[in-house]
Amino acid sequence: MFLNHVLRHFSLFALIFLFSLQAHATENHMKSFEVIEKSIIKSPNDTRQYQVIRLANNLEVLLVSDPDLKNSAASLSVPVGSMHNPDSQLGLAHYLEHMLFLGSERYPVINQYSKFMSQNGGYTNAYTAQERTVYGFEVNDSVFAEALDRLGDVMRAPLLDEKYAEKERHTVDAEQQTYYDNDMRKLYALQRYSLNPEHPTARFGTGDLTTLVDKPGSVLQQELELFFQEHYSANSMKVALTSPRPIKDMQNIAVEYLTQIPDRKLSKPSIITPLLTKEQLAIEVQMKPTADLKYLQVNFLVPSVKDEYMYQPGAYISRLLGSDHKGGLSDYLKKEGLAESVSAGFYGAYSDQYSQFNMTFKLTQKGLSEQDTVVASLFAYIDLINKHGVNELQYSEQKKSLDNYFQFLPKSSGFNYVMSLSANMQTYPLQDLLSYSFRLDGFKEKFIRGLLGYLTPENSRLFLISPDAVVEKDIPYYQGKYSQAKIKKVRLQKWLIKAKDIQAEMTLPKDNEWLPENTTLVKAEKNDKAVQLVNNPGLSVWFKQSELTDPKGIYKLQLNNNISDQSPKARIEMSLLLSIVRKQLSDLTFSTQEAGIGFSIGSYNGLFISTSGYSDKQSKLLLLLLDHFKNTKVDKQLLDLAKQELTRRLNNRSKSKPMDLGLDGFRKLTRQPEWSDKTLLAQIEKITADDLSELIEQIFSTSSVRLLALGNFSSSEVLQLTEQLKEKIKVQPNAFYQKKQLNADPSQGALNYIRHSEKEDDALVSLYLVKSQGSISLAKAELLNKLLKPAFYDQIRTQEQLTYSPFTASFKVGNSLAFGLFTQSPSVGAAALYKRFEAFLENFKKPLMAMKKSEFEEIKKAHIANYLTKPSNLSGEFSYLTNEWADNKKAIDTKSEYIAVLESVTLEQVQQYYMELFFEPQKIQQIIVQVKGKKFTEAKPLTLPKQLTILNIDELLKH
């Protein structure tokens, strides 16, 4: 009795103590964060809730609650990047980014972090920039807590296990090798190398096997651990979370899983060394590219205006410099035959001390020989802006565009959204995180003129990429040579003298007629599915309104024909004609883009014209584009320029990334008809202006017509547009043409396409093609890919270190389904890669067959959640439907039916499908594209027991 009495009293005491602990925990939890920003300025179109809190460890966390989501996402940024590498270990920040996710104290299994995200409907990635490193993931919300705990544990206690160091050094090196002969990466490196050598930005940043290695006085592992301790602290990190959960729940999850990150009370590293001295101004850097490129870039580094973002003086100037309007800089240079294109960029937060203007000129051969005229034209236009362009008119045009865009800002979500938010939290005030790039609080002439004052010849930095470049020195850590020299004063003065003669031919842009005037929503017609408004021989019109409350729409118009598939000459004619028309429309492109309307003209089973953006003037735009195309006059200068561009593009193909060559080879094999670059090149000089005029006539007199209208249109408006189209096009009652695609033919044996690259690496595309049984085949392959993809990445990249970026994919090819394994490797040739692929497929049998049904169902559920997420913009809402329309299906808008098929797929079906796909050769046809790089020229190409070797795509039978 006494014992029972004691136990009863003890139980009561324990219960009271437990309640006391819970109350204390609740009280502590209430103090575990503070709200520091509620009033984040957001678009009227944005219904999400935002809040910024500071946790007890001084970590700032942005919470974004969006009940429309199915997935949650998180990103964490650190204000430390490549510029903070110690001199003794260049690339250390990037190397740490790689090492962090190879296990943490409570989650020690290598690569489980990325596998967890992948198998729960998401993915993970990170990047290292000069001044910051940013990490992120997206995952199904049901496992958001564990995913956030994994991220928190990585930042609290990463293993940084030395036993993986050698492998990850090779991964970093493999990544650098993919950039080793990339001309744009070399240009970026030279931009930095030509800065003040005392500044840490002027160094190699990526890292490779020669920089990330033990040295006297510098042990890599010790430096790695020290770098983490000295630079990774909660008080300097920023985190952004987005989730369907309410703000209160997000507060709780942030407190529970992110407070574990230690606050080491670190300050953001400051670098006071100037980026530039007089020695780095008025310089010319020349580089000889691997590809046939002719670029001239003029850079200006100016005092930072990142804190004046609300007045946007840099964007004001770059808008005028980059405009394609008639009389603008771009228009003048094109008319003179000096440039193919002109682009302007402004980076307000280039560093804490500097902002940057980039002017990039894609030169013609004439422009290459007259570079000083190009540069003089730039200074002529800068002077024109200074004299006449700083005024309320230009400000009001800029403001109208920004205000309209922010008013109806498309809703971003998921991984990319949080990655940008956490990065921007390092730079901009919290209340302006969403609005900083759209704010224009007033016309500040003083700021604009102040910036213009720095755009002088004496402050310019020229970068010339040309096959004719005069070079003398190796580019450190890259393939190729360059030279650097000061520009003589007499040349600087000549630019200004010549500019005076040029300026008279230039004008500033006028008001924009394409800005929307009516942004009301049309009356809802309440059709759950897309409706075919017209279904006549040779004429099809589909229509669907949007569930979103945006005054925007999409038109897709196809003048359907097989003209460009009839011969290599016809293919080249279409390419040349499209190039000419796009150039003629550059003025319209600038105006419509600034007004929030976009358009594109291309070739896809005929002539393909697409418009998107504000619906107000889209019908007018579509008809205008059609009229322009129909009435195009081809002059000799434009035709010659188009021929130069196309010749260069086809010649440069062998100089592109091996993986790009492999994917291009796959497209050439599976889409019929196709021809080799050599065959296409041979046609170019034969084409005349009369040929193109005849082609235009043929397009408008022999085509059937397909139209897709989506978004803020009414059916009556679409039907009215259809009647207007019929007046301009002689619609033919033809069956709709669809380019043929390769179908699986196991009896033929493998198709083995061997291509040669001027780059170092080999690449391999290994595809298994099997006859499709409809959507069930696609669903099984899609779910199989969710299981196989992370394992393939882990084996080929992490465990075997064969490549930096292996991936898998499943997709339709005509009436067949393809499952592919892809990679590019600096380590082994295509034949060796294929052996490792085969070994992986054999070894993956065991874990796949041992998988639990419950685990598969969770992965399937997470994958389906991606389909069920409420769309945030028109392109996302209609992407599935648009693909069905492009495939010319009789029934489109069948997404819900496909989701039902996905839900029906069982683990046993996926396991059986795996065995059929990879281990029953009588049912499949293999498609191999192997790209042979210079490093492996001595290695024998991959051969299969039964194959049709293709060295030239022209040899493949067209049928």
Side-chain angles (χ1 to χ4, degrees):
M1 288 291 295
F2 176 75
L3 181 59
N4 289 339
H5 177 75
V6 170
L7 285 173
R8 281 199 300 272
H9 277 275
F10 180 78
S11 298
L12 180 62
F13 172 78
L15 193 60
I16 293 169
F17 181 69
L18 180 61
F19 281 134
S20 172
L21 277 179
Q22 288 177 338
H24 182 66
T26 302
E27 183 181 348
N28 279 349
H29 183 71
M30 291 172 65
K31 296 178 180 177
S32 60
F33 73 91
E34 61 175 323
V35 176
I36 58 174
E37 186 58 71
K38 280 184 177 179
S39 56
I40 293 176
I41 300 168
K42 62 180 184 177
S43 165
N45 202 38
D46 191 345
T47 58
R48 293 170 291 197
Q49 283 186 285
Y50 294 84
Q51 187 182 86
V52 183
I53 61 175
R54 182 182 291 115
L55 305 183
N57 59 349
N58 284 313
L59 176 66
E60 287 185 6
V61 183
L62 169 63
L63 311 173
V64 185
S65 174
D66 183 356
D68 291 336
L69 297 177
K70 297 292 182 183
N71 281 359
S72 291
S75 176
L76 180 149
S77 66
V78 187
V80 176
S82 298
M83 72 163 64
H84 304 102
N85 290 327
D87 287 332
S88 57
Q89 298 289 345
L90 297 180
L92 189 64
H94 182 212
Y95 175 55
L96 174 61
E97 174 217 310
H98 280 249
M99 287 291 291
L100 276 177
F101 293 99
L102 298 183
S104 60
E105 187 176 82
R106 289 187 292 106
Y107 299 97
V109 179
I110 186 172
N111 270 358
Q112 275 298 306
Y113 183 89
S114 59
K115 183 179 180 181
F116 175 85
M117 305 302 172
S118 176
Q119 294 195 337
N120 284 286
Y123 51 93
T124 181
N125 208 342
Y127 69 85
T128 304
Q130 281 294 314
E131 76 292 350
R132 66 172 65 101
T133 307
V134 184
Y135 304 88
F137 69 76
E138 180 175 345
V139 75
N140 188 262
D141 182 66
S142 62
V143 296
F144 189 35
E146 183 178 344
L148 209 57
D149 188 33
R150 288 172 181 268
L151 176 65
D153 199 51
V154 163
M155 296 300 161
R156 179 188 69 85
L159 295 182
L160 301 178
D161 197 329
E162 196 168 2
K163 69 184 178 185
Y164 301 123
E166 189 63 20
K167 286 185 176 181
E168 217 52 37
R169 281 178 66 247
H170 279 83
T171 299
V172 171
D173 184 75
E175 183 176 349
Q176 169 57 19
Q177 292 307 311
T178 65
Y179 306 135
Y180 181 68
D181 199 16
N182 181 295
D183 289 322
M184 292 300 103
R185 290 292 293 222
K186 287 184 274 187
L187 171 62
Y188 174 59
L190 290 175
Q191 289 172 349
R192 292 182 289 106
Y193 294 165
S194 58
L195 296 169
N196 179 6
E198 298 300 315
H199 196 282
T201 299
R203 303 175 302 171
F204 175 55
T206 310
D208 65 12
L209 291 177
T210 68
T211 64
L212 295 167
V213 65
D214 291 346
K215 307 176 185 73
S218 176
V219 178
L220 177 59
Q221 183 66 22
Q222 293 174 2
E223 297 265 23
L224 179 72
E225 294 169 3
L226 183 64
F227 193 87
F228 179 76
Q229 292 294 325
E230 289 186 342
H231 293 299
Y232 277 59
S233 173
N235 72 301
S236 63
M237 295 172 174
K238 309 291 182 185
V239 170
L241 308 179
T242 182
S243 171
R245 303 174 186 223
I247 287 289
K248 186 175 180 181
D249 289 356
M250 296 184 72
Q251 291 170 349
N252 293 337
I253 198 172
V255 168
E256 185 169 358
Y257 297 111
L258 296 178
T259 308
Q260 64 181 302
I261 302 173
D263 178 10
R264 298 188 174 92
K265 297 178 169 53
L266 302 178
S267 300
K268 178 181 177 180
S270 63
I271 298 169
I272 58 174
T273 306
L275 264 174
L276 292 171
T277 70
K278 287 185 178 180
E279 288 302 309
Q280 290 87 46
L281 293 173
I283 62 166
E284 181 179 39
V285 176
Q286 295 193 27
M287 184 190 100
K288 191 182 288 288
T290 300
D292 181 10
L293 300 176
K294 303 179 187 73
Y295 281 97
L296 177 64
Q297 191 173 91
V298 185
N299 290 355
F300 301 92
L301 283 167
V302 301
S304 176
V305 292
K306 70 181 179 70
D307 294 334
E308 284 78 55
Y309 63 88
M310 67 288 296
Y311 301 114
Q312 307 230 23
Y316 180 101
I317 296 168
S318 64
R319 168 185 172 266
L320 297 175
L321 289 173
S323 169
D324 281 315
H325 71 278
K326 283 182 172 58
L329 174 61
S330 174
D331 182 57
Y332 171 79
L333 291 172
K334 289 176 183 176
K335 283 180 178 176
E336 293 296 311
L338 298 171
E340 296 175 8
S341 65
V342 177
S343 61
F346 177 74
Y347 308 93
Y350 183 77
S351 73
D352 288 337
Q353 296 88 24
Y354 293 91
S355 297
Q356 184 181 38
F357 284 96
N358 277 352
M359 291 299 305
T360 304
F361 304 91
K362 189 176 180 182
L363 301 177
T364 62
Q365 189 60 43
K366 181 183 177 184
L368 187 61
S369 61
E370 298 181 30
Q371 296 164 44
D372 283 350
T373 302
V374 175
V375 180
S377 304
L378 169 61
F379 287 111
Y381 205 77
I382 289 170
D383 186 55
L384 181 66
I385 296 171
N386 210 5
K387 286 176 180 175
H388 305 293
V390 186
N391 55 50
E392 289 279 357
L393 171 64
Q394 298 301 335
Y395 162 77
S396 65
E397 289 294 296
Q398 183 187 16
K399 182 166 177 57
K400 282 181 210 169
S401 176
L402 290 174
D403 286 350
N404 278 338
Y405 201 87
F406 192 61
Q407 173 77 17
F408 301 104
L409 189 67
K411 191 168 81 170
S412 300
S413 61
F415 178 82
N416 290 332
Y417 190 49
V418 292
M419 290 287 277
S420 64
L421 287 173
S422 75
N424 289 333
M425 287 172 74
Q426 297 286 354
T427 304
Y428 296 101
L430 294 173
Q431 67 173 16
D432 288 336
L433 274 176
L434 311 176
S435 61
Y436 73 90
S437 61
F438 304 100
R439 278 185 64 177
L440 200 53
D441 293 0
F443 174 52
K444 294 292 182 180
E445 182 176 347
K446 179 179 71 173
F447 288 160
I448 298 167
R449 292 201 185 279
L451 269 189
L452 281 168
Y454 287 96
L455 306 188
T456 65
E458 293 76 18
N459 287 334
S460 64
R461 290 159 44 83
L462 271 61
F463 296 86
L464 176 68
I465 303 180
S466 163
D468 301 331
V470 179
V471 295
E472 56 191 29
K473 295 183 286 187
D474 291 332
I475 305 173
Y477 302 100
Y478 292 89
Q479 172 71 40
K481 291 182 177 293
Y482 80 107
S483 63
Q484 180 176 329
K486 290 286 284 184
I487 301 172
K488 293 179 180 179
K489 287 185 179 180
V490 65
R491 187 180 176 198
L492 302 177
Q493 291 165 353
K494 282 183 178 178
W495 291 342
L496 295 180
I497 293 169
K498 196 163 192 174
K500 292 177 181 178
D501 297 328
I502 294 171
Q503 191 178 106
E505 301 182 50
M506 294 177 160
T507 60
L508 293 161
K510 298 175 182 177
D511 55 348
N512 193 338
E513 65 174 297
W514 290 98
L515 287 165
E517 297 171 37
N518 180 5
T519 55
T520 58
L521 296 176
V522 299
K523 184 179 178 181
E525 300 187 21
K526 298 181 180 177
N527 293 313
D528 293 334
K529 294 281 189 178
V531 177
Q532 192 168 19
L533 298 178
V534 180
N535 183 18
N536 296 334
L539 179 63
S540 169
V541 179
W542 284 92
F543 162 71
K544 188 178 184 183
Q545 291 181 334
S546 172
E547 296 177 9
L548 304 174
T549 54
D550 279 352
K552 297 177 182 177
I554 298 170
Y555 279 131
K556 293 186 180 295
L557 173 66
Q558 186 183 73
L559 276 64
N560 181 269
N561 58 68
N562 70 345
I563 296 171
S564 66
D565 288 342
Q566 291 176 1
S567 67
K569 183 172 182 284
R571 180 71 54 83
I572 291 298
E573 286 176 351
M574 181 64 86
S575 295
L576 293 172
L577 180 58
L578 290 171
S579 176
I580 289 167
V581 170
R582 288 174 189 138
K583 280 187 167 45
Q584 291 174 336
L585 292 170
S586 57
D587 179 23
L588 183 64
T589 301
F590 169 77
S591 300
T592 53
Q593 283 181 347
E594 188 168 67
I597 312 175
F599 70 83
S600 64
I601 299 179
S603 176
Y604 179 76
N605 293 328
L607 176 64
F608 192 82
I609 303 176
S610 178
T611 63
S612 62
Y614 295 113
S615 55
D616 181 26
K617 299 178 180 179
Q618 264 195 69
S619 296
K620 174 184 173 183
L621 176 60
L622 186 62
L623 294 169
L624 178 68
L625 293 169
L626 205 58
D627 279 342
H628 180 94
F629 203 99
K630 188 174 184 178
N631 299 316
T632 293
K633 303 299 180 188
V634 179
D635 64 63
K636 186 176 185 305
Q637 180 175 308
L638 276 178
L639 179 56
D640 288 345
L641 185 58
K643 288 181 176 181
Q644 288 178 29
E645 288 181 5
L646 185 55
T647 299
R648 184 174 61 250
R649 191 164 75 244
L650 292 173
N651 280 327
N652 280 341
R653 186 107 66 187
S654 64
K655 300 166 186 173
S656 58
K657 281 197 319 184
M659 192 69 253
D660 290 345
L661 261 182
L663 294 173
D664 176 71
F666 158 68
R667 286 189 291 268
K668 285 184 179 296
L669 278 178
T670 56
R671 299 177 186 176
Q672 301 173 34
E674 288 289 346
W675 296 276
S676 67
D677 293 341
K678 182 179 179 181
T679 296
L680 294 172
L681 278 164
Q683 307 299 316
I684 292 177
E685 286 310 314
K686 300 176 184 177
I687 311 299
T688 66
D690 288 342
D691 289 332
L692 300 191
S693 297
E694 186 179 326
L695 173 60
I696 295 169
E697 172 62 28
Q698 196 178 0
I699 290 170
F700 281 84
S701 62
T702 65
S703 298
S704 50
V705 173
R706 302 178 67 232
L707 176 67
L708 177 66
L710 303 168
N712 190 45
F713 305 115
S714 65
S715 56
S716 60
E717 183 181 0
V718 175
L719 288 171
Q720 182 182 355
L721 174 62
T722 303
E723 292 304 311
Q724 292 171 305
L725 292 173
K726 286 162 66 177
E727 292 174 9
K728 297 177 183 296
I729 309 164
K730 189 177 179 182
V731 179
Q732 298 300 303
N734 304 330
F736 294 123
Y737 169 72
Q738 189 81 359
K739 190 170 186 174
K740 290 181 180 178
Q741 292 187 296
L742 187 71
N743 287 314
D745 182 3
S747 65
Q748 188 181 30
L751 298 181
N752 189 350
Y753 185 18
I754 302 173
R755 307 194 78 180
H756 295 276
S757 167
E758 294 185 34
K759 300 286 188 179
E760 296 291 316
D761 298 356
D762 267 20
L764 178 63
V765 173
S766 177
L767 286 143
Y768 295 78
L769 202 65
V770 62
K771 289 187 178 179
S772 174
Q773 296 174 334
S775 56
I776 186 66
S777 293
L778 190 61
K780 288 188 288 188
E782 200 171 296
L783 290 169
L784 173 59
N785 192 45
K786 293 299 295 181
L787 308 181
L788 187 143
K789 189 173 185 176
F792 180 70
Y793 180 87
D794 177 50
Q795 184 64 35
I796 301 301
R797 179 190 184 274
T798 305
Q799 302 299 336
E800 299 188 33
Q801 295 294 305
L802 297 176
T803 171
Y804 168 64
S805 55
F807 64 97
T808 63
S810 62
F811 39 86
K812 292 184 297 179
V813 176
N815 295 322
S816 302
L817 188 133
F819 199 105
L821 293 81
F822 309 79
T823 201
Q824 173 181 326
S825 176
S827 305
V828 296
L833 281 172
Y834 183 77
K835 286 182 180 178
R836 299 316 307 152
F837 285 9
E838 291 288 281
F840 165 78
L841 292 172
E842 179 64 36
N843 294 334
F844 188 67
K845 284 182 191 175
K846 186 175 180 181
L848 178 62
M849 298 306 164
M851 175 171 273
K852 295 179 180 177
K853 289 184 181 179
S854 58
E855 183 183 356
F856 172 77
E857 290 299 323
E858 284 300 312
I859 293 170
K860 182 174 74 172
K861 179 182 175 183
H863 180 62
I864 291 172
N866 291 322
Y867 280 95
L868 296 173
T869 297
K870 186 174 179 179
S872 58
N873 52 55
L874 288 186
S875 61
E877 180 180 11
F878 294 125
S879 61
Y880 193 92
L881 184 156
T882 301
N883 287 336
E884 292 181 302
W885 179 83
D887 287 343
N888 198 16
K889 289 189 173 180
K890 289 184 179 179
I892 66 174
D893 204 3
T894 63
K895 183 177 175 180
S896 58
E897 289 86 341
Y898 181 65
I899 292 171
V901 173
L902 274 172
E903 288 172 336
S904 72
V905 175
T906 66
L907 174 60
E908 290 79 8
Q909 285 177 306
V910 171
Q911 290 169 331
Q912 182 183 355
Y913 193 73
Y914 181 81
M915 297 304 296
E916 291 174 358
L917 190 61
F918 298 118
F919 299 100
E920 295 186 20
Q922 72 277 11
K923 293 183 178 181
I924 63 160
Q925 181 176 27
Q926 280 192 268
I927 307 291
I928 297 291
V929 184
Q930 52 181 311
V931 181
K932 302 302 297 173
K934 293 193 294 187
K935 188 185 291 186
F936 303 104
T937 51
E938 300 302 317
K940 290 183 178 179
L942 164 66
T943 58
L944 298 175
K946 184 181 179 183
Q947 68 171 41
L948 174 61
T949 303
I950 301 167
L951 299 175
N952 185 336
I953 200 69
D954 296 331
E955 299 168 0
L956 188 63
L957 180 65
K958 306 293 189 295
H959 56 79

